[in-house]
Structure formats: structure tokens, C-alpha cells
Amino acid sequence: SQQGEEDPQALSIQEGENATMNCSYKTSINNLQWYRQNSGRGLVHLILIRSNEREKHSGRLRVTLDTSKKSSSLLITASRAADTASYFCALHQAGTALIFGKGTTLSVSS
Amino acid sequence: GAGVSQSPRYKVAKRGQDVALRCDPISGHVSLFWYQQALGQGPEFLTYFQNEAQLDKSGLPSDRFFAERPEGSVSTLKIQRTQQEDSAVYLCASSLDGQGAGGYTFGSGTRLTVV
């Protein structure tokens, strides 16, 4: 399959804790992107990491990419109830549209 | 507009009915993408346009699905003779550059229920 596979499928944490979700893939990529989807809404672009980058930060988000292991991780620090959502990794390859994984459902309780 | 607009927000169709779903992308965005999302799943690619050209329609599940973007702006996804398995959320996204290497902006989707 060309899509990424997120792990875990579901994650429940307390407010203030960190949340880590992983994405593994099998093909070569130009970049890897992470999106968030709140229930019943469209997806929101969070962060993009290029194949020649290893780590990127954006606010409370930290993304890593290991192209030798074909894996990426998204870390959300100091989580809030508002972070409750589904998170998807998406692979960008030359000449194609983004391919999305099945997502990780994050639940943050106060 | 400020974002990607999709209409209708919800659509209930009787099996066998034809439906048309509209997407109004961000003004000036070159690329437009359609995805289908079943409950609890990730978005599945259907088709994409660069301006008015449909560059990839490999994800359309059958010849009952048809998409167009005649003037390189608004796009319509048409489903003929709807079936129950077509029930899903249909998401539209646009991107400033070709193929969307810089990230997509999604609309809120159209939830289609076929009864």
C-alpha cells in the first residue's frame, strides 16, 4: 500500500501530558504532512516536513522524519482538551496527490 | 473567498438518484482535489485538477463518478445512479501550487447518505 500507517489507532491522555503518534510508509516521498480533523469537519494542515529534513517545530508540535526507517512521528506537548481530534499523516510523491493514512484518534480529558 | 466552500453540507439521496456536489476553491488556487472519506477511515483520493485539466482520475470508484472544473475554478463532482456504498463524506481541497506539494486547504465536506 502507498498510504502511511498511523500508530496507535487511538490514544487517550490527560490534559498537560504529551501525545506521540507515529506514521510508517513504504515508498519514497517528497514530503510528509500532518493534518488534524475535528469531528464532522474538514482537515486542517498542521505541518510539512521535506524528505531532506529530520525535525521541524511549530508551536507545541514537533515532527520528526527518518527516511531510512520510512517513519515519522508527531509530538504534541502539553496537550489540551481542544487537541481532541483525529490526526492523519499524508505522503506526497512526485506527480501524485496526497495519500492519507487511516489516522490516530486522540482524546484529551481534563 | 477566504476558504474552500462546499455545498450542500448534507445530502440525502434515494438509491438510483443522481447527485451533484459543488466545490468553490480559494481564489487563485491552481490545484483542486476530491477525496472520499468513509466513517472512521482516512480520506481516499478520487481525482485532481490543475486549472481546468483533470490530471488524475484514477481514484474514481466507477464510471458513475464524474468530475469537472470547466473554467479552472469551481468544480462539481457528479455521482449517477447512487448506491448505498456511495454514502460517505466527500471532501474537496485546493492548493496554490500544482499537486499541492505545499499543503492543502480543505472544505468542510458534503455528507452524502444514500437511502
Side-chain angles (χ1 to χ4, degrees):
Chain A
S1 170
Q2 292 181 332
Q3 70 183 165
E5 304 250 351
E6 288 97 337
D7 170 65
Q9 286 187 322
L11 181 60
S12 292
I13 59 174
Q14 297 285 111
E15 259 192 333
E17 293 180 340
N18 295 343
T20 300
M21 48 205 90
N22 305 294
C23 174
S24 59
Y25 58 93
K26 297 180 180 178
T27 59
S28 61
I29 58 171
N30 285 347
N31 66 60
L32 186 147
Q33 304 178 25
W34 286 90
Y35 287 77
R36 183 187 72 227
Q37 185 177 38
N38 291 88
S39 179
R41 307 298 299 273
L43 284 82
V44 174
H45 180 261
L46 294 177
I47 196 165
L48 178 155
I49 187 164
R50 293 183 172 78
S51 59
N52 61 353
E53 297 175 316
R54 292 297 166 258
E55 187 172 314
K56 282 190 82 169
H57 297 255
S58 176
R60 293 184 297 113
L61 305 181
R62 172 179 167 248
V63 170
T64 62
L65 178 64
D66 187 334
T67 52
S68 65
K69 295 181 179 178
K70 290 187 165 52
S71 69
S72 174
S73 67
L74 173 67
L75 168 67
I76 304 173
T77 60
S79 62
R80 306 166 181 168
D83 295 329
T84 294
S86 293
Y87 292 81
F88 297 90
C89 68
L91 311 178
H92 185 263
Q93 302 171 285
T96 69
L98 284 178
I99 304 296
F100 287 82
K102 295 186 178 181
T104 292
T105 300
L106 174 64
S107 177
V108 182
S109 53
S110 53
Chain B
V4 177
S5 177
Q6 291 189 247
S7 61
R9 187 80 172 87
Y10 302 93
K11 176 70 178 176
V12 178
K14 290 185 178 179
R15 193 168 50 147
Q17 188 178 354
D18 297 350
V19 298
L21 312 180
R22 177 188 169 105
C23 174
D24 211 329
I26 293 173
S27 178
H29 274 200
V30 169
S31 300
L32 184 146
F33 308 84
W34 284 99
Y35 286 81
Q36 179 191 60
Q37 187 176 25
L39 191 63
Q41 300 295 312
E44 295 276 348
F45 170 74
L46 293 177
T47 184
Y48 97 88
F49 294 83
Q50 192 166 315
N51 297 308
E52 68 279 2
Q54 189 174 20
L55 297 188
D56 188 347
K57 55 181 180 179
S58 62
L60 296 176
S62 77
D63 58 8
R64 296 186 295 104
F65 287 70
F66 172 77
E68 60 182 5
R69 193 186 186 198
E71 296 176 358
S73 178
V74 171
S75 176
T76 304
L77 176 66
K78 297 179 180 177
I79 308 173
Q80 297 177 323
R81 304 181 303 281
T82 52
Q83 304 293 315
Q84 285 192 316
E85 62 263 27
D86 301 334
S87 295
V89 175
Y90 290 85
L91 296 166
C92 175
S94 69
S95 175
L96 185 60
D97 59 275
Q99 299 168 16
Y104 296 2
T105 302
F106 278 85
S108 295
T110 293
R111 182 177 296 277
L112 172 66
T113 303
V114 181
V115 297

